[in-house]
Amino acid sequence: MPDNSSSLLALADQMLWVTALVAAPILLAALSVGLFVGVIQAATSVNEQTLTFVPKLAVMALVLVLFGGSMMSLIMDFATEIFAQIAAISR
């Protein structure tokens, strides 16, 4: 039974790591664009809500185009490993 618990904890740890690796490029891009636009808005006193939304949306779409393949590859590798572990348990 302890082996089962340690393997589940290792799987949860790997799941959190994969989630962080997949979400990081999108979140960092949105954060940096939001910060940049916020500084520009504070300097010019222009407080338009769409001014922050549209650049974030465009940059996030660009990040998904650039890094989407590697993100999906990472997720597919993780899913393949999970399915292999399920198959090994059911034997």
Side-chain angles (χ1 to χ4, degrees):
M1 194 67 135
D3 185 52
N4 230 0
S5 296
S6 65
S7 65
L8 285 176
L9 286 175
L11 187 64
D13 182 48
Q14 187 179 6
M15 176 204 54
L16 290 172
W17 183 246
V18 168
T19 303
L21 287 176
V22 169
I26 297 172
L27 292 175
L28 289 174
L31 177 71
S32 61
V33 169
L35 183 65
F36 179 73
V37 171
V39 168
I40 297 296
Q41 281 184 333
T44 60
S45 298
V46 176
N47 291 327
E48 181 65 33
Q49 293 296 324
T50 56
L51 191 60
T52 59
F53 179 72
V54 173
K56 280 185 193 177
L57 187 64
V59 167
M60 287 170 53
L62 180 67
V63 166
L64 281 175
V65 166
L66 293 176
F67 297 112
S70 63
M71 290 175 182
M72 282 304 297
S73 173
L74 191 62
I75 292 171
M76 286 181 58
D77 290 343
F78 180 66
T80 304
E81 185 176 330
I82 288 176
F83 291 139
Q85 288 182 6
I86 290 171
I89 290 172
S90 65
R91 287 185 197 168

